[in-house]
Amino acid sequence: MGLDGTHGRQAAQAQRTSAVPPQRHLPFDLAAWAAEPRPETPPGIFRLGYRPQDETRTEQATVPPGPLLTRAALNLVVGWLVFIYGRALCLNLIAYAVDKFEIGSRIDLGQGRFQYVVPAGQRDLVALAVNVLMILLVVRYFGRMGRWTEVFRRYAAPLLARTVTQEASEGGIDAVGRTHSADPWFEVRAGAPEAVRRLEGEQLGDVDYARIRHAWDTVLADPDLLPAFAEQVEARGAAACAHPSGARDLPGRTGRHDLLTRQVRLGTAQNVVKNPLAHRSAGFALDPQLLGTSLLAVGPAGTGKTARLGRPVAEALCLQALAGTACAVVIGAADADLGPDTWYDVVIAPGDPRSPYGLDLYGAAADPDEAAARLADALLPDELAQRAETARTALQQVVGPYHAAHGRYPGVRELRALLGGDPDAWAVLRKALQAAGVLAVHEAELQHRERQHGRADDPGALLADRLALLDRPVFAGCFPGVPGGPAGGLPPFAMRALDHPLRVRVKLPERSHPEVARVLSRLVVAQFVQAASARTERSLFAGLVVDDASAAVDVHTVRGLQRMRGTNAGAVLLLRTLADLSEPLRAPLFGAVGCRMAFPGIAPWDGRLFSEAWGTHLVTETAVTHTPDTSGGLVRKAARGVRKALSGTTAQTESVTTRDVERHRWSPSDLAHALPSGHAVVSLTTVDGEQVPPLLVDLRG
């Protein structure tokens, strides 16, 4: 739960994350932020401050103000005239009926004539009933045609609300644009009142609140932790239950986050017909429920994949890690804008002498065969993928015996020597196996591997050549073995740490050593997929962000993405084009991820896969046909002839045909050429299987 976290300096003052733009110069208003409405919404909608839209109102709001007011005024005038003349007509008809059927009091007019009238009191009641009936009829028919309710909602209701109550018509927001205060510690107050009193005397940010609330949820699950929680909060206040790094916020954070719902807002769904009604004009956001199915984003360089998707998601995962609800692994080039190093606990930068951490090539895997298989897949180039099985076997025949003899995995140089058939290295390995008493167990593997040495098709020689990329002075100490191995080198990071709320940044040397970057990208992604599925503690969401996943995706990664849906883990993979992947991988990758995102300028062949994945839907298609008018007799034909002579046009008839047809939700041509800059089309799927059709989203701002 993190109740024993170390003290740390208070982070920079938190910014308000709400439905209104953040006020950087104001202190964080915790009570107002916690009281913001967060209604249940369909997936992908930013819940903070969201208010559901009424379908009828939305359709009516499409009418421009000018025609709306003009139509309302005309119907009001006509309705008033109908009321005046209709009322008089009704009263005359009633008077005629009274006299005709001799109803009411009789008045003698003399000379044998009589008139029947209704008494004064009854006459007033009849007039009132006629007035009410006429008003109801006028409002019912002319009010509907003139859309008086829409005029009232648009113009009169806000004016009355401001005049009478000094509040917005939607409610919940006061004159300065903030929600009414509420007690953010209502649930904690009953169980730990002293702790709440300490918290009320300090300035908390959204990360502090989310972190302490997460700790309280852990206390509710295990009441025995209540004394430790109360003692921690009373002693440290807002810094209680802090992340092991002591950090309480991210410096320079720029995204719009809601840590209570664990959402990060990326943009706004556009108000277009293709978008579902509930999403139109609503904030677009991602959360672990969506990221748990993994997201594939495709778009050329410069379309905003990193700045508008990769960085905000990485920032959200790092904030959630500080709150104790997630762990983050972010992979990208050293110069990729994925946040400063101060956002991360572990920064691995092979080839950079300032790198504080190295990388465990085996990911601290407990099974030597599995660790060797993942390393072999990462080392092989794409063009030699057909030799993957023999390469895995060759590496397993070396790593397994070495681990049995020494109790650790071999380093890069040791592994290269054994795969290359160095006699001295093999002699040392045999001696160590004999000393450990396991030589007989691995003798068959050693003999088979030794027989392969020197052959033209020896996969060991190929792997040794690939390892030579890592066995260079610039990478000295970057790839040590597991603890207990040779002294020296940087402290290694292993993927078994995904059980803790760590923030990891892997900087790849794409400019100086592109092939090494490809190997490391594939290796780290494979280790993440393997470790995420093998975790026993799955309360933390394990998030992976890969800035350029073209080299990181292979068959095992695709299979691993499918397994991660049930392990509270997910990946965000950014690609420039699907052409960077081999043809057999493209369709399986589309099927493995639940969320797909297309950026402007993608190639038509990339758009075809998106279009096929999103399928078709029924649309109403209207066809208008014009044909020459030949109807009528001699007079009409003569008139049409004169018209043609005078205007030069032929009279035509118009035929309109309406039918329902299937069309692609987004065609490859639309995705390739019609998407505006700064936008994207994204489809979503939650880990529960709920789906959202493709949305056009504005990612700017």
Side-chain angles (χ1 to χ4, degrees):
M1 185 175 73
L3 295 177
D4 299 325
T6 59
H7 285 276
R9 284 188 171 184
Q10 183 173 356
Q13 190 175 34
Q15 304 166 4
R16 182 180 178 184
T17 306
S18 66
V20 297
Q23 305 293 328
R24 296 181 182 274
H25 60 282
L26 296 177
F28 180 75
D29 191 342
L30 176 61
W33 175 76
E36 284 274 6
R38 293 174 174 85
E40 292 295 329
T41 64
I45 293 179
F46 191 59
R47 293 172 53 188
L48 181 63
Y50 173 77
R51 291 176 176 84
Q53 301 184 44
D54 181 74
E55 182 175 355
T56 304
R57 291 183 176 182
T58 303
E59 293 177 353
Q60 293 174 345
T62 60
V63 180
L68 178 66
L69 295 175
T70 301
R71 187 179 297 111
L74 289 175
N75 279 272
L76 180 61
V77 172
V78 176
W80 174 253
L81 294 175
V82 170
F83 171 76
I84 295 297
Y85 291 102
R87 175 179 176 275
L89 178 61
C90 288
L91 292 177
N92 290 334
L93 290 175
I94 292 174
Y96 174 78
V98 168
D99 188 59
K100 178 70 175 176
F101 297 102
E102 300 180 355
I103 302 173
S105 302
R106 188 173 70 170
I107 301 176
D108 189 359
L109 300 178
Q111 299 179 358
R113 292 183 301 166
F114 299 94
Q115 182 180 0
Y116 290 85
V117 296
V118 178
Q122 297 180 7
R123 188 166 57 247
D124 294 339
L125 290 177
V126 170
L128 177 62
V130 170
N131 290 338
V132 171
L133 178 61
M134 290 303 302
I135 290 174
L136 291 177
L137 291 175
V138 167
V139 172
R140 172 69 175 80
Y141 291 101
F142 293 97
R144 171 178 290 184
M145 290 189 296
R147 295 184 175 178
W148 293 351
T149 55
E150 173 66 11
V151 173
F152 179 83
R153 186 186 68 84
R154 279 204 208 179
Y155 305 104
L159 180 61
L160 290 175
R162 288 193 296 267
T163 303
V164 178
T165 65
Q166 295 297 319
E167 294 182 359
S169 59
E170 298 274 340
I173 301 179
D174 60 22
V176 296
R178 299 181 303 179
T179 54
H180 301 301
S181 298
D183 183 8
W185 305 111
F186 176 77
E187 299 179 4
V188 186
R189 193 180 300 277
E194 295 297 328
V196 172
R197 278 192 283 271
R198 171 64 191 275
L199 293 173
E200 290 178 334
E202 298 192 17
Q203 177 67 35
L204 279 78
D206 56 346
V207 180
D208 297 325
Y209 182 74
R211 185 185 67 249
I212 295 174
R213 281 299 303 266
H214 175 67
W216 176 252
D217 291 339
T218 308
V219 170
L220 294 179
D222 187 0
D224 293 339
L225 296 174
L226 179 59
F229 172 82
E231 180 182 357
Q232 176 87 185
V233 176
E234 292 174 21
R236 303 183 60 190
C241 313
H243 187 266
S245 67
R248 293 168 51 192
D249 206 345
L250 296 181
R253 54 184 277 195
T254 57
R256 298 274 302 277
H257 304 273
D258 183 19
L259 293 179
L260 289 186
T261 58
R262 301 172 68 184
Q263 288 184 307
V264 52
R265 176 169 178 163
L266 301 179
T268 304
Q270 295 299 278
N271 187 11
V272 295
V273 177
K274 287 191 174 184
N275 285 350
L277 180 64
H279 289 77
R280 296 176 191 174
S281 302
F284 171 72
L286 294 176
D287 56 52
Q289 278 290 102
L290 295 170
L291 296 178
T293 63
S294 297
L295 185 149
L296 174 65
V298 181
T303 53
K305 298 190 307 299
T306 303
R308 294 168 179 160
L309 176 61
R311 179 184 169 109
V313 172
E315 182 178 308
L317 292 174
C318 289
L319 286 173
Q320 293 173 27
L322 294 181
T325 59
C327 55
V329 178
V330 181
I331 306 172
D335 56 352
D337 183 17
L338 295 170
D341 291 351
T342 52
W343 283 11
Y344 301 95
D345 305 308
V346 176
V347 178
I348 305 169
D352 187 346
R354 298 168 297 178
S355 176
Y357 285 88
L359 178 66
D360 187 345
L361 294 180
Y362 305 95
D367 184 3
D369 287 344
E370 189 173 8
R374 297 290 80 78
L375 179 57
D377 292 335
L379 288 173
L380 285 183
D382 292 333
E383 57 269 18
L384 296 178
Q386 66 275 11
R387 301 184 62 183
E389 192 60 41
T390 57
R392 292 190 204 104
T393 302
L395 199 57
Q396 289 167 346
Q397 290 172 343
V398 172
V399 173
Y402 191 97
H403 186 271
H406 298 278
R408 63 175 179 85
Y409 295 112
V412 174
R413 185 158 297 178
E414 297 167 312
L415 186 59
R416 180 186 176 190
L418 290 170
L419 289 170
D422 187 340
D424 295 336
W426 278 97
V428 172
L429 177 59
R430 283 185 173 276
K431 184 176 180 180
L433 286 170
Q434 188 172 9
V438 292
L439 178 60
V441 177
H442 298 279
E443 182 66 29
E445 287 187 322
L446 296 180
Q447 292 179 356
H448 182 272
R449 178 89 291 277
E450 288 176 335
R451 286 195 300 268
Q452 297 293 321
H453 292 161
R455 295 179 54 175
D457 59 346
D458 179 17
L462 173 61
L463 293 173
D465 291 340
R466 301 293 293 174
L467 281 170
L469 296 170
L470 308 180
D471 188 18
R472 299 189 59 194
V474 69
F475 300 120
C478 293
F479 310 112
V482 295
L490 300 173
F493 168 76
M495 282 295 171
R496 65 163 177 250
L498 293 183
D499 290 333
H500 307 282
L502 277 178
R503 303 165 293 164
V504 182
R505 170 74 162 98
V506 181
K507 293 185 172 183
L508 302 176
E510 287 190 353
R511 293 186 180 274
S512 56
H513 303 85
E515 194 60 24
V516 173
R518 190 206 70 82
V519 171
L520 296 180
S521 175
R522 179 169 293 188
L523 180 62
V524 174
V525 171
Q527 290 181 357
F528 176 90
V529 171
Q530 176 186 353
S533 301
R535 290 185 304 164
T536 56
E537 176 57 48
R538 296 178 177 177
S539 60
L540 295 177
F541 177 78
L544 172 69
V545 179
V546 187
D547 185 46
D548 182 6
S550 58
V553 178
D554 58 11
V555 176
H556 300 283
T557 301
V558 172
R559 293 173 182 169
L561 292 175
Q562 296 172 329
R563 292 194 300 267
M564 285 198 304
R565 292 195 182 194
T567 62
N568 197 23
V572 177
L573 307 176
L574 310 183
L575 283 173
R576 294 186 180 93
T577 174
L578 292 171
D580 291 340
L581 303 178
S582 60
E583 182 68 30
L585 281 179
R586 298 173 192 173
L589 178 60
F590 258 74
V593 299
C595 305
R596 307 171 184 94
M597 199 167 187
F599 282 79
I602 65 173
W605 45 88
D606 291 344
R608 179 178 57 81
L609 282 176
F610 279 99
S611 184
E612 291 176 355
W614 290 334
T616 61
H617 65 147
L618 287 177
V619 296
T620 302
E621 186 180 79
T622 301
V624 180
T625 304
H626 295 277
T627 58
D629 187 3
T630 59
S631 62
L634 182 61
V635 176
R636 292 190 63 183
K637 291 180 178 179
R640 287 196 294 267
V642 173
R643 175 185 174 184
K644 181 177 181 181
L646 294 176
S647 64
T649 59
T650 302
Q652 294 181 331
T653 60
E654 182 178 276
S655 175
V656 179
T657 304
T658 302
R659 60 176 181 172
D660 291 335
V661 296
E662 282 195 355
R663 291 286 183 267
H664 284 290
R665 296 180 184 272
W666 284 88
S667 68
S669 179
D670 289 340
L671 294 173
H673 306 295
L675 286 187
S677 176
H679 292 64
V681 180
V682 55
S683 63
L684 305 172
T685 304
T686 67
V687 292
D688 299 328
E690 186 175 359
Q691 295 184 343
V692 176
L695 303 171
L696 177 62
V697 180
D698 186 354
L699 301 176
R700 297 169 298 182

